[in-house]
Amino acid sequence: MTTPLASAMALVLQHGIPIFPDQASSIARRVDLLYYFLTAVALSFSALIFLTVFYFAVKYRQRSPDERPQPIHGSLTLEIIWSVIPLLLTMVMFFWGATLFYEIRTAPGDAATLTVVGKQWMWKIQHPEGQREINQLHVPVGRPVRLVMTSEDVIHSFFIPAFRIKMDVLPGRYTDLWFTATKPGTYHLFCAEYCGTKHSGMRGSVVVLEPADYQAWLTGAPAGETPETAGGRLFRQFNCHTCHEAGPTSRGPSLHEIFGKTVRLRTGETVNVDDGYLRESILLPTAKVVAGYEPVMPTYQGQISEEGVMQLLAYIKSLTREAGGRPQP
Ligand code: CUA
């Protein structure tokens, strides 16, 4: 007869004691190595301090009631040793940690960009090919994936323990995250920031597939509109083109070949045209107006969902990509 205890024991015998989740991304092993190092340093210093305490307690115990110890007036050698060794150790931690952090925060240029919208209490994900998922994320093994994320309500946090990545998902702002999955399988996806009653239920799974299986999944899942196409539709639906595509006399700047560039504002400042700036310009159009234009654009706050904004951005980015691909006249 199998009791839960017996099956748990069988699992432990088979896999060992699972202290860590699977190492399923390109950085997982290296994050763990750093973590092991920090733990080893902490443990060895704790051991050293405790052993010394006990050793000195015995060695320097009072041997007779009238014994008076010799006063000590310091030791330069000792002070240098206990300053330099911790300094070196913390510098190792700093540079090791900073290098890893930098790598985790910098997505490779060829990463596929997916959008994630968090809301109480679910994750809505859209692939660049158009497929939508809720609380599920299908990705191929071995290919970098970048997630651009925002929230429709409160702060959430996107956490895939097996990939060792986590990032807050904030209302009114874009945050991003990237990973390369290295091992096919199904992994937990959690919300790691308390976001209301059903926070603990705001979870899902990441399904890592072999490239061929992923292609099959992609073909099988209903694609619907790509973010780009949907964005183009919204662009016309909200009449963006009447001001932004009217030629030299238009009331708004052209959006072709604009993404990733730097533009000058009415105030004389410059701003880099990225996701955050475009989003702000749709929802808060008078905040940073491009030089040579009047602050006449109405806000679209409340008229367009976060997903809609992301689709518009995909469309505006495609205008830059197309321009880049064509020979200049
Ligand atoms: Cu969303 Cu916790």
Side-chain angles (χ1 to χ4, degrees):
M1 197 184 105
T2 25
T3 64
L5 184 67
S7 43
M9 288 294 291
L11 273 176
V12 167
L13 286 176
Q14 207 179 336
H15 301 288
I17 298 171
I19 297 176
F20 286 100
D22 271 324
Q23 292 175 330
S25 77
S26 57
I27 50 112
R29 179 181 296 275
R30 292 166 56 206
V31 172
D32 288 356
L33 264 181
L34 176 61
Y35 186 83
Y36 288 138
F37 173 74
L38 298 177
T39 313
V41 169
L43 285 180
S44 35
F45 270 85
S46 308
L48 188 67
I49 289 163
F50 274 88
L51 288 174
T52 317
V53 166
F54 284 112
Y55 174 68
F56 284 172
V58 173
K59 182 170 180 194
Y60 296 110
R61 70 186 184 278
Q62 196 179 37
R63 285 160 209 265
S64 64
D66 56 349
E67 184 183 327
R68 291 291 172 271
Q70 286 289 313
I72 298 168
H73 296 288
S75 159
L76 185 63
T77 323
L78 207 55
E79 284 183 29
I80 289 177
I81 290 175
W82 79 42
S83 303
V84 169
I85 292 179
L87 175 73
L88 291 179
L89 274 172
T90 45
M91 282 298 112
V92 169
M93 289 172 191
F94 172 70
F95 283 107
W96 190 346
T99 318
L100 201 52
F101 177 79
Y102 185 78
E103 215 167 300
I104 292 174
R105 294 300 312 136
T106 318
D110 59 342
T113 302
L114 278 65
T115 58
V116 175
V117 175
K119 62 176 275 190
Q120 287 169 326
W121 288 274
M122 63 169 85
W123 297 109
K124 297 187 285 184
I125 295 165
Q126 187 167 24
H127 292 253
E129 295 85 359
Q131 287 78 2
R132 292 169 176 284
E133 302 191 74
I134 287 181
N135 294 340
Q136 275 222 321
L137 170 58
H138 285 78
V139 290
V141 88
R143 205 176 78 193
V145 172
R146 176 167 172 260
L147 305 174
V148 174
M149 312 186 291
T150 191
S151 164
E152 268 181 34
D153 37 47
V154 299
I155 301 178
H156 304 276
S157 181
F158 194 90
F159 181 31
I160 307 174
F163 294 175
R164 307 294 187 275
I165 51 165
K166 175 162 71 176
M167 178 49 82
D168 277 7
V169 177
L170 309 168
R173 200 190 301 183
Y174 290 124
T175 52
D176 70 323
L177 196 60
W178 81 274
F179 59 83
T180 302
T182 51
K183 207 168 121 185
T186 302
Y187 306 100
H188 289 296
L189 158 63
F190 291 121
C191 175
E193 179 76 48
Y194 181 70
C195 55
T197 316
K198 290 186 189 152
H199 155 71
S200 63
M202 191 171 166
R203 60 211 157 109
S205 46
V206 181
V207 183
V208 179
L209 300 168
E210 293 288 358
D213 297 339
Y214 179 72
Q215 275 314 320
W217 175 83
L218 214 53
T219 330
E225 281 179 316
T226 65
E228 247 175 75
T229 316
R233 189 170 45 74
L234 289 170
F235 196 79
R236 286 180 297 279
Q237 183 185 325
F238 285 104
N239 286 320
C240 309
H241 60 283
T242 55
C243 290
H244 287 288
E245 283 186 348
T249 56
S250 67
R251 282 180 291 172
S254 160
L255 301 176
H256 290 263
E257 292 180 64
I258 195 174
F259 192 78
K261 306 277 161 53
T262 305
V263 292
R264 184 164 294 281
L265 303 180
R266 281 163 66 88
T267 55
E269 291 167 290
T270 54
V271 64
N272 184 28
V273 182
D274 57 9
D275 288 328
Y277 175 62
L278 289 177
R279 178 182 184 282
E280 183 187 56
S281 298
I282 294 167
L283 303 177
L284 214 62
T286 50
K288 291 179 190 141
V289 180
V290 173
Y293 295 95
E294 296 299 315
V296 291
M297 177 171 158
T299 175
Y300 288 86
Q301 190 99 50
Q303 300 179 48
I304 183 166
S305 67
E306 287 296 345
E307 280 166 302
V309 175
M310 283 172 151
Q311 288 162 348
L312 271 176
L313 299 198
Y315 173 69
I316 294 170
K317 279 187 236 180
S318 76
L319 296 178
T320 298
R321 214 170 29 243
E322 277 166 18
R326 250 186 270 137
Q328 296 299 316

